[in-house]
Amino acid sequence: MNQARVMIVSQPNLWLREHMRAQVHALGLDDELGWRLFAPPHWHQTLCGPFDTCEQALLALMAAGDAAQAEQPAFELSFNRIRGDKGKHIHWSFQACGRPKPFDHMLETLQTELKPFGLKDGGHRPHITISYQAPYGLPTLPIGPLEWLIDEIQLVERSGRGKDFHYEVLHRWALKPPAMPRPEQLKLFH
């Protein structure tokens, strides 16, 4: 991955990331993955992109983020399993319970804003990748559930390879507070 790419993501806070990491460890998956474990500080939910870094993509993603901030209240994803998808590459990831309507609304808002810039996006599903280079497929493993209130999105640029791979946050947007948090969500506001 030599070309820098930009995208809109949301990243779990440290508290949630530590609980996610604990689930991976409890199942022994970190030992299985070794160097193939995607660095937990980089764990994220992609919402839009990635696109090659250029002025057009940056302008489109800024407009999309502004629209999402104006329209989208914070929403929740709940992860209840880890799965290893087989394909060209084997990805292990946290999988969400269902596909919440606010998630799809977020994607629609972002995609609508890209159209005037000639950019097309799609194919995102609610998940967080644990490994992009897993050694083998993985049956569905129940976890948690782990509740995540997505209350911020970020424009990030990913670049580098190997040890130099990193994400740089270029811009952040806070989402509107949810109408009424459920009691189990209150811990997420700490």
Side-chain angles (χ1 to χ4, degrees):
M1 187 179 322
N2 293 325
Q3 169 67 39
R5 310 266 284 166
V6 288
M7 56 191 181
I8 293 179
V9 303
S10 189
Q11 296 181 293
N13 61 32
L14 181 60
W15 180 89
L16 179 57
R17 216 169 44 241
E18 287 175 354
H19 282 80
M20 296 172 95
R21 181 80 162 106
Q23 292 281 337
V24 169
H25 182 72
L27 293 168
L29 300 179
D30 48 355
D31 291 335
E32 290 289 320
L33 289 171
W35 64 268
R36 293 179 178 98
L37 177 71
F38 189 50
H42 295 317
W43 287 354
H44 65 277
Q45 168 66 60
T46 302
L47 298 166
C48 189
F51 301 104
D52 289 344
T53 300
C54 66
E55 185 177 354
Q56 179 183 6
L58 288 168
L59 289 172
L61 291 172
M62 286 297 294
D66 289 346
Q69 182 179 42
E71 293 180 26
Q72 180 76 43
F75 62 96
E76 184 179 280
L77 291 180
S78 178
F79 298 101
N80 68 349
R81 63 198 185 284
I82 293 174
R83 188 173 71 203
D85 295 330
K86 295 179 184 177
K88 183 179 176 184
H89 301 284
I90 301 172
H91 292 184
W92 289 2
S93 58
F94 293 97
Q95 298 289 313
C97 303
R99 193 172 172 102
K101 288 182 183 180
F103 178 83
D104 285 334
H105 183 259
M106 170 66 80
L107 298 183
E108 289 170 19
T109 299
L110 296 170
Q111 291 167 9
T112 297
E113 292 300 316
L114 296 179
K115 288 179 184 174
F117 294 90
L119 297 176
K120 187 175 179 183
D121 188 47
H124 303 294
R125 58 187 169 82
H127 76 288
I128 292 180
T129 301
I130 299 166
S131 176
Y132 289 94
Q133 304 173 46
Y136 53 84
L138 190 68
T140 299
L141 303 172
I143 62 163
L146 298 168
E147 309 292 336
W148 178 22
L149 181 69
I150 295 180
D151 59 357
E152 179 186 82
I153 60 174
Q154 303 96 27
L155 171 61
V156 299
E157 182 176 56
R158 71 177 192 202
S159 60
R161 295 175 61 108
K163 289 187 274 183
D164 296 326
F165 179 83
H166 67 279
Y167 288 90
E168 179 183 352
V169 177
L170 304 177
H171 195 79
R172 298 175 185 274
W173 294 273
L175 301 179
K176 298 175 189 177
M180 182 76 126
R182 297 192 325 244
E184 63 270 17
Q185 290 177 311
L186 293 175
K187 67 180 178 272
L188 299 175
F189 289 99
H190 290 89

